[in-house]
């Protein structure tokens, strides 16, 4: 493979990295069905960090905020396969199979699956396509995605509502949500969607609640959290800036000093 670290055809993705790597994106827009071949992944949500090791098979629900870090195993590599089950595909599947409307889903956002030879065999069957992506076709990706949905429904019929609930997030308490999720570095449009609002109503409601714009509030909230972690918890700026929602260390250091009058390394 020309690019060993990342092979993607359509909605099927194989990852292989030989050093610790953080995902750039914090927002999971579509359902993902994944298998960790080697190494482990650390997933941080507003409820804390969960560690998933080699052999883990799981399903992650769409519209989640999560920070993911890939950690190589003893063999020196992290390897995983993910199948993204987007809404357009699931609507086609639902129509093709004449499925009844699903009930609104309110269960867990991440489900771990017990070992199953059919699911393991399914992921193994994808590897030849990642090794030879020139042999992969759109039709093959569609067929393998249908197979993934069939396997999940056969494994546990309760996945029906998980997969086929097409409703969007409803309007929720903005203040509580933002205080729980400010450290996720996503655009305001994503925060708007996740709180059940248009971007315009999100900005309007935000300023009513916080008396400040979303951008200003997020920056100050992240800086205050960083100051606390450095001053009270003894963490280093290089350990903190990504965790609180900044993209790069130099911008974080500049903004921190401008706000508090002291470099983060000297707190």
């Amino acid at each position: 493979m020309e690019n060993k670290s990342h092979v993607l055809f359509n909605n099927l993705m194989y990852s292989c990295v030989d050093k610790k790597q953080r995902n750039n994106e914090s927002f999971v827009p579509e359902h993902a069905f994944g298998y960790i071949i080697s190494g482990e992944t650390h997933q941080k949500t507003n409820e804390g960090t969960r560690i998933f090791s080699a052999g883990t098979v799981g399903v992650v629900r769409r519209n989640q905020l999560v920070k993911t870090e890939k950690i190589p195993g003893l063999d020196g590599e992290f390897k995983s396969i993910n199948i993204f089950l987007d809404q357009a595909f699931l609507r086609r599947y639902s129509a093709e199979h004449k499925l009844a409307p699903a009930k609104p889903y309110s269960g867990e956002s991440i489900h771990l699956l017990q070992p199953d030879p059919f699911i393991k065999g399914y992921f193994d069957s994808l590897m030849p396509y990642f090794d030879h992506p020139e042999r992969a076709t759109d039709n093959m990706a569609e067929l393998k995605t249908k197979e993934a949905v069939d396997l999940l429904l056969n494994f546990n019929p309760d996945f029906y509502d998980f997969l086929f609930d097409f409703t969007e997030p409803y309007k929720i308490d903005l203040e509580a949500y933002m205080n729980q999720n400010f450290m996720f570095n996503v655009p305001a449009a994503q925060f708007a969607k996740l709180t059940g609002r248009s971007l315009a109503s999100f900005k309007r409601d935000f300023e009513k609640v916080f008396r400040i714009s979303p951008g200003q509030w997020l920056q100050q909230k992240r800086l205050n959290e960083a100051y606390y972690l450095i001053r009270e918890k003894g963490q280093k700026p290089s350990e903190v800036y990504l965790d609180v929602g900044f993209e790069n260390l130099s911008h974080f250091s500049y903004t921190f000093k401008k706000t508090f009058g002291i470099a983060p390394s000297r707190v």
Side-chain angles (χ1 to χ4, degrees), residues 7 41 53 61 94 166 188 197 218-219 262 265:
V7 179
T41 180
S53 57
R61 186 162 166 78
S94 178
F166 298 120
R197 293 165 169 82
L218 283 167
Q219 178 169 287
I262 186 173
S265 58

Side-chain angles (χ1 to χ4, degrees), residues 46 65 172-184 186-188 190-195 197 202 205-206 209-210 213-215 217-219 221-222:
N46 60 21
L65 289 174
I172 60 174
D173 185 319
L174 183 62
E175 183 175 9
Y177 187 86
M178 294 305 300
N179 277 311
Q180 291 170 350
N181 295 283
F182 67 87
M183 73 292 295
F184 291 99
V186 297
Q190 300 290 12
F191 280 127
K193 178 178 181 178
L194 293 169
T195 57
R197 293 165 169 82
F202 171 77
D205 290 352
F206 196 100
V209 172
F210 294 103
S213 73
W217 183 87
L218 283 167
Q219 178 169 287
K221 185 74 172 178
R222 290 164 178 168

Side-chain angles (χ1 to χ4, degrees), residues 4 10 23-24 29-30 41 44 47 58 74 76 86 95 121 145 184-186 204 209-211 213 245 253 255 260:
K4 185 182 178 183
N10 291 37
N23 278 10
N24 293 327
E30 304 289 356
T41 180
K44 182 177 181 180
E47 296 179 346
L74 296 177
D86 64 66
T145 306
F184 291 99
N185 187 9
V186 297
R204 183 173 59 251
V209 172
F210 294 103
R211 307 296 182 184
S213 73
S253 297
T255 308
F260 298 114

Side-chain angles (χ1 to χ4, degrees), residues 11 13 28-35 43 57-64 81-87 90 109-111 113 123 148 152 159 162-163:
N11 58 309
M13 185 175 72
V28 180
E30 304 289 356
H31 303 318
F33 179 30
Y35 169 50
Q43 293 191 350
V57 176
V59 189
V60 179
R61 186 162 166 78
R62 67 188 177 103
N63 292 334
Q64 300 297 318
I81 297 175
N82 280 285
I83 297 89
F84 300 104
L85 306 171
D86 64 66
Q87 298 296 281
L90 290 170
S109 60
I110 299 176
H111 286 275
L113 280 61
F123 282 108
L152 286 171
F159 280 130
F162 181 104
L163 294 171

Side-chain angles (χ1 to χ4, degrees), residues 13-215:
M13 185 175 72
Y14 170 71
S15 299
C16 179
V17 298
D18 58 9
K19 57 185 176 181
K20 187 184 297 186
Q21 183 182 90
R22 286 179 183 248
N23 278 10
N24 293 327
E25 298 294 331
S26 295
F27 179 61
V28 180
E30 304 289 356
H31 303 318
F33 179 30
Y35 169 50
I36 300 175
I37 302 170
S38 65
E40 61 185 32
T41 180
H42 296 190
Q43 293 191 350
K44 182 177 181 180
T45 68
N46 60 21
E47 296 179 346
T49 300
R50 297 179 68 180
I51 299 175
F52 304 109
S53 57
T56 298
V57 176
V59 189
V60 179
R61 186 162 166 78
R62 67 188 177 103
N63 292 334
Q64 300 297 318
L65 289 174
V66 57
K67 296 181 180 183
T68 302
E69 191 170 29
K70 300 170 182 176
I71 312 292
L74 296 177
D75 62 353
E77 292 180 321
F78 170 88
K79 298 178 184 178
S80 69
I81 297 175
N82 280 285
I83 297 89
F84 300 104
L85 306 171
D86 64 66
Q87 298 296 281
F89 166 81
L90 290 170
R91 288 180 184 278
R92 291 198 305 273
Y93 184 102
S94 178
E96 180 181 330
H97 292 79
K98 297 180 173 57
L99 300 182
K103 298 176 183 177
Y105 181 79
S106 59
E108 295 292 328
S109 60
I110 299 176
H111 286 275
L112 302 184
L113 280 61
Q114 294 298 316
D116 179 86
F118 294 98
I119 290 177
K120 174 62 165 58
Y122 167 75
F123 282 108
D124 289 343
S125 75
L126 293 174
M127 284 307 303
Y129 297 103
F130 294 124
D131 289 334
H132 302 282
E134 72 281 358
R135 299 283 296 275
T137 64
D138 292 343
N139 184 57
M140 184 58 65
E142 184 86 356
L143 288 172
K144 298 306 287 186
T145 306
K146 288 180 180 179
E147 184 181 352
V149 174
D150 289 343
L151 282 168
L152 286 171
L153 293 177
N154 285 329
F155 181 84
N156 185 349
D158 290 344
F159 280 130
Y160 188 92
D161 293 336
F162 181 104
L163 294 171
F164 298 107
D165 171 14
F166 298 120
T167 58
E168 292 301 322
Y170 57 88
K171 196 171 186 178
I172 60 174
D173 185 319
L174 183 62
E175 183 175 9
Y177 187 86
M178 294 305 300
N179 277 311
Q180 291 170 350
N181 295 283
F182 67 87
M183 73 292 295
F184 291 99
N185 187 9
V186 297
Q190 300 290 12
F191 280 127
K193 178 178 181 178
L194 293 169
T195 57
R197 293 165 169 82
S198 67
L199 180 57
S201 64
F202 171 77
K203 291 180 177 179
R204 183 173 59 251
D205 290 352
F206 196 100
E207 295 201 17
K208 285 181 181 178
V209 172
F210 294 103
R211 307 296 182 184
I212 192 173
S213 73

Side-chain angles (χ1 to χ4, degrees), residues 185-257:
N185 187 9
V186 297
Q190 300 290 12
F191 280 127
K193 178 178 181 178
L194 293 169
T195 57
R197 293 165 169 82
S198 67
L199 180 57
S201 64
F202 171 77
K203 291 180 177 179
R204 183 173 59 251
D205 290 352
F206 196 100
E207 295 201 17
K208 285 181 181 178
V209 172
F210 294 103
R211 307 296 182 184
I212 192 173
S213 73
Q216 291 174 308
W217 183 87
L218 283 167
Q219 178 169 287
Q220 190 59 55
K221 185 74 172 178
R222 290 164 178 168
L223 287 170
N224 288 342
E225 180 68 9
Y227 189 95
Y228 167 77
L229 292 174
I230 295 170
R231 179 68 180 268
E232 302 299 330
K233 298 297 183 178
Q235 296 187 27
K236 298 178 181 178
S238 59
E239 299 171 337
V240 164
Y241 78 98
L242 287 172
D243 286 341
V244 299
F246 281 85
E247 291 184 356
N248 63 74
L249 182 57
S250 60
H251 173 64
F252 165 70
S253 297
Y254 171 80
T255 308
F256 189 100
K257 185 174 182 180

